[in-house]
């Protein structure tokens, strides 16, 4: 009914039991160790496993204390989210299947106590390694130090620990399709890294942060950022582990909210394209630097989680001898899957923006500060000019006005923004005429 309350049941198409799948049979009675379980992808993975593979034995979550909360408190709070409501309806005893293990991937041996290791080492059948530092993390150490310890050293130490897991059948690692930016056609295979992971680990463990800050730009010059650089090093570590490690690497594109499961459109992560879309919808973010014709490489998080689960199943009970003919015929013992949108459903940044603003009127917020506007340019010069006029100047003027008022007044802010818009419109017209004149000369 229009105007009525919306409940979780409204988003659920079918709660009826279906025949047990091969994947469900494979996970029956299994125990899985997950790092990064409280993150964006981790929450969707845990919900999927507890809802769709209810006969699994135990999920061991490696969780660190954060913001004054111990690991158990963080997991308890995580399950209070409405996102898990459907899973709770279908699996009321879910909590008995989740065991929290205190750890921290920034620390050596991912921060696990020997007592906890001894307790679980004979029970683990699969490891899904999701934990990773991001560029938005706040940390007292420099970005390179944090990323290498959390993303690279943790992967190395976790692989060493898996040698104690006598019943291990699968090790799944979440990587990125952007780990090899210098390669035009990225196949599902390993690529050589110009520097050894062990050398980088030793470097961050011995050099002070001020030196690491100076050398960071040179080390990651071939990569988009520090994070993709560390993902490439982690892949190198997995490759060096050899065929003894039953490993699968999932290379993902930009991860967005859910497409279908358990509810459509869910997200709790604004540090990606969702945050950019929100900023544009509120009229705060208006200019982006890049090529509008390049494919966006976006993937829904629930479909990514399905691939993680299938990759784990492929290692545990359905390893085949299928050979991808597109991959050069060399000896590859590790399963690698590239998950991006280019091959079958390409979507450029320009198309993405058009789709967003086509639907913006249906989901627009009354809290917007300025009329939504979206512009992508591959010229760094034009980008900085438009950023100055459309981002910096309005923000400074509004901040100054709020300071004079002594309090926030949204209605007055919108009037000020409108006046600023008129000023900027004339300025942009003059800038455009000037640029056309310069280019003509």
């Amino acid at each position: 009914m229009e105007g009525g309350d919306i409940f979780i049941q409204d988003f659920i198409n079918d709660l009826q039991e279906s025949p047990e799948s091969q994947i469900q049979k494979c996970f029956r009675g299994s125990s899985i160790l997950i790092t990064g379980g409280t993150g964006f992808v981790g929450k969707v993975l845990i919900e999927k496993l507890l809802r769709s593979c209810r006969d699994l034995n135990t999920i061991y979550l490696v969780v660190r204390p954060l913001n004054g909360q111990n690991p158990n408190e963080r997991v308890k709070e995580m399950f209070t989210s409405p996102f898990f409501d459907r899973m709770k309806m279908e699996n009321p005893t879910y909590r008995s299947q989740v065991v929290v293990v205190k750890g921290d991937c920034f620390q050596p041996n991912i921060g696990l106590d020997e007592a906890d290791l001894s307790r679980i080492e004979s029970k683990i059948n699969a490891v899904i390694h999701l934990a990773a530092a991001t560029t938005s993390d706040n940390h007292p150490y420099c970005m390179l130090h944090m990323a290498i310890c959390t993303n690279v050293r943790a992967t190395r130490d976790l692989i060493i620990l898996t040698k104690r897991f006598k019943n291990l059948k699968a090790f799944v690692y979440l990587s990125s399709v952007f780990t090899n930016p210098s390669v035009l056609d990225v196949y599902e295979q390993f690529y050589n890294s110009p520097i050894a992971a062990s050398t980088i680990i030793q470097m961050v463990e011995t050099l002070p942060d001020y030196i690491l800050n100076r050398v960071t730009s040179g080390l990651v010059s071939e990569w988009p950022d520090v994070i993709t650089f560390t993902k490439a090093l982690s892949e190198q570590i997995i490759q060096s582990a050899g065929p003894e490690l039953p490993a699968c690497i999932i290379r993902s594109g930009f991860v967005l909210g859910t497409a279908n499961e358990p509810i459509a459109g869910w997200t709790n992560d604004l540090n990606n394209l969702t945050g950019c879309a929100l900023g544009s919808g509120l009229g705060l973010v208006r200019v982006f630097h890049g090529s509008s014709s390049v494919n966006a490489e976006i993937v829904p998080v629930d479909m990514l989680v399905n691939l993680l689960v299938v990759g784990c199943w492929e290692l545990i009970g359905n390893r085949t001898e299928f050979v991808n003919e597109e991959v050069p015929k060399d000896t590859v013992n590790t399963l690698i899957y590239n998950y991006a949108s280019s091959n079958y459903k390409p979507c450029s940044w320009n198309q993405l923006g058009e789709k967003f603003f086509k639907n913006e009127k249906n989901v627009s917020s009354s809290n917007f500060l300025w009329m939504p506007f979206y512009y992508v340019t591959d010229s760094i010069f034009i980008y900085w000019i438009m950023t100055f006029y459309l981002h910096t100047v309005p923000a400074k003027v509004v901040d100054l006005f709020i300071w004079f008022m002594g309090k926030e007044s949204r209605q007055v802010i919108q009037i000020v923004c409108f006046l600023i818009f008129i000023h900027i419109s004339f300025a942009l017209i003059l800038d455009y005429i000037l640029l056309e004149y310069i280019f003509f000369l």
Side-chain angles (χ1 to χ4, degrees):
M1 181 178 66
E2 184 177 358
D5 292 334
I6 298 176
F7 300 96
I8 185 66
Q9 292 89 341
D10 299 323
F11 294 93
I12 301 174
N13 295 325
D14 187 9
L15 287 178
Q16 297 179 356
E17 293 293 334
S18 58
E20 190 177 36
S21 69
Q22 294 183 24
I23 296 178
Q24 289 172 319
K25 293 178 181 178
C26 178
F27 280 98
R28 186 193 302 155
S30 298
S31 294
I32 305 171
L33 179 73
I34 299 176
T35 67
T38 57
F40 177 47
V41 178
K43 291 176 182 176
V44 183
L45 173 64
I46 292 169
E47 194 278 339
K48 177 68 174 182
L49 289 172
L50 292 174
R51 175 170 52 86
S52 300
C53 303
R54 298 191 293 272
D55 291 331
L56 62 79
N57 186 15
T58 307
I59 295 178
Y60 294 97
L61 296 181
V62 179
V63 183
R64 59 173 174 161
L66 186 66
N67 298 329
Q69 291 183 309
N70 63 45
N72 284 289
E73 292 172 340
R74 291 186 63 196
V75 172
K76 182 179 179 180
E77 181 181 6
M78 179 184 74
F79 281 120
T80 61
S81 170
F83 174 72
F84 294 96
D85 286 353
R86 177 180 175 180
M87 179 272 294
K88 293 176 182 178
M89 294 172 60
E90 300 187 37
N91 185 11
T93 61
Y94 74 95
R95 198 61 183 88
S96 62
Q97 296 174 288
V98 179
V99 176
V100 180
V101 181
K102 182 180 179 181
D104 186 351
C105 286
F106 181 75
Q107 304 298 330
N109 295 323
I110 66 172
L112 294 181
D113 292 333
E114 181 60 33
D116 289 331
L117 278 172
S118 300
R119 178 168 53 91
I120 68 174
E121 61 183 10
S122 62
K123 303 175 182 178
I124 302 299
N125 303 117
V127 174
I128 302 180
H129 184 29
L130 305 177
T134 64
T135 54
S136 61
D137 289 343
N138 294 320
H139 208 279
Y141 295 95
C142 79
M143 187 63 209
L144 182 64
H145 187 168
M146 177 190 65
I148 293 297
C149 291
T150 306
N151 298 359
V152 184
R153 187 178 66 183
T155 302
R156 181 201 65 182
D157 293 350
L158 184 56
I159 290 176
I160 293 174
L161 291 175
T162 58
K163 296 179 180 180
R164 299 177 55 173
F165 301 162
K166 301 176 182 179
N167 297 310
L168 182 72
K169 299 178 181 179
F171 182 95
V172 180
Y173 174 70
L174 180 59
S175 186
S176 168
V177 295
F178 307 107
T179 53
N180 302 285
S182 60
V183 181
L184 183 60
D185 296 318
V186 180
Y187 294 102
E188 293 173 333
Q189 66 178 51
F190 286 112
Y191 290 91
N192 295 327
S193 178
I195 187 169
S198 58
T199 302
I200 294 293
I201 294 174
Q202 185 178 13
M203 181 185 299
V204 300
E205 288 179 338
T206 55
L207 295 178
D209 281 354
Y210 75 91
I211 294 181
L212 293 177
N213 283 326
R214 293 178 181 177
V215 302
T216 297
S217 59
L219 286 173
V220 304
S221 58
E222 297 182 15
W223 285 266
D225 52 34
V226 174
I227 304 305
T228 51
F229 169 67
T230 57
K231 291 285 188 180
L233 294 178
S234 294
E235 288 192 13
Q236 179 190 129
I237 290 175
I238 294 174
Q239 180 184 18
S240 64
E244 293 78 14
L245 180 70
C248 173
I249 295 175
I250 307 296
R251 293 178 180 151
S252 169
F254 293 112
V255 184
L256 297 185
T258 57
N260 300 300
E261 298 183 87
I263 53 178
W266 178 87
T267 183
N268 72 339
D269 186 9
L270 298 181
N271 295 320
N272 53 24
L273 295 180
T274 305
C276 294
L278 177 61
S280 295
L282 295 176
L284 298 175
V285 183
R286 309 169 68 79
V287 186
F288 298 89
H289 179 236
S291 176
S292 60
S293 61
V294 172
N295 288 327
E297 306 294 5
I298 53 177
V299 296
V301 64
D302 52 335
M303 294 185 181
L304 170 61
V305 162
N306 288 342
L307 181 56
L308 289 167
V309 173
V310 170
C312 194
W313 162 75
E314 180 78 4
L315 289 170
I316 292 177
N318 195 47
R319 186 66 182 267
T320 67
E321 300 300 326
F322 174 76
V323 177
N324 188 343
E325 295 180 355
E326 296 181 353
V327 178
K329 294 183 178 180
D330 54 0
T331 303
V332 178
N333 297 301
T334 301
L335 295 175
I336 300 177
Y337 296 106
N338 295 336
Y339 183 39
S341 58
S342 296
N343 295 336
Y344 302 105
K345 292 186 178 180
C347 179
S348 68
W349 291 110
N350 189 48
Q351 291 174 324
L352 184 65
E354 291 176 354
K355 292 179 181 180
F356 171 75
F357 283 103
K358 181 180 179 181
N359 296 281
E360 185 271 333
K361 294 181 180 179
N362 300 326
V363 295
S364 60
S365 172
S366 59
N367 296 320
F368 73 90
L369 296 177
W370 204 352
M371 190 61 65
F373 174 78
Y374 175 91
Y375 182 73
V376 179
T377 175
D378 55 1
S379 170
I380 190 65
F381 178 68
I382 296 177
Y383 169 76
W384 282 117
I385 289 179
M386 296 189 68
T387 298
F388 178 76
Y389 282 118
L390 296 177
H391 290 171
T392 306
V393 173
K396 295 300 181 182
V397 173
V398 172
D399 287 344
L400 182 63
F401 189 83
I402 293 175
W403 182 75
F404 279 129
M405 292 287 292
K407 60 180 180 179
E408 182 176 354
S409 175
R410 183 173 299 278
Q411 196 172 28
V412 176
I413 292 175
Q414 290 180 348
I415 295 174
V416 173
C417 288
F418 177 73
L419 295 175
I420 295 171
F421 175 76
I422 295 178
H423 159 73
I424 293 175
S425 297
F426 284 108
L428 287 176
I429 292 173
L430 293 176
D431 286 339
Y432 179 79
I433 295 174
L434 178 61
L435 288 173
E436 289 291 329
Y437 178 74
I438 293 174
F439 291 149
F440 178 76
L441 293 178

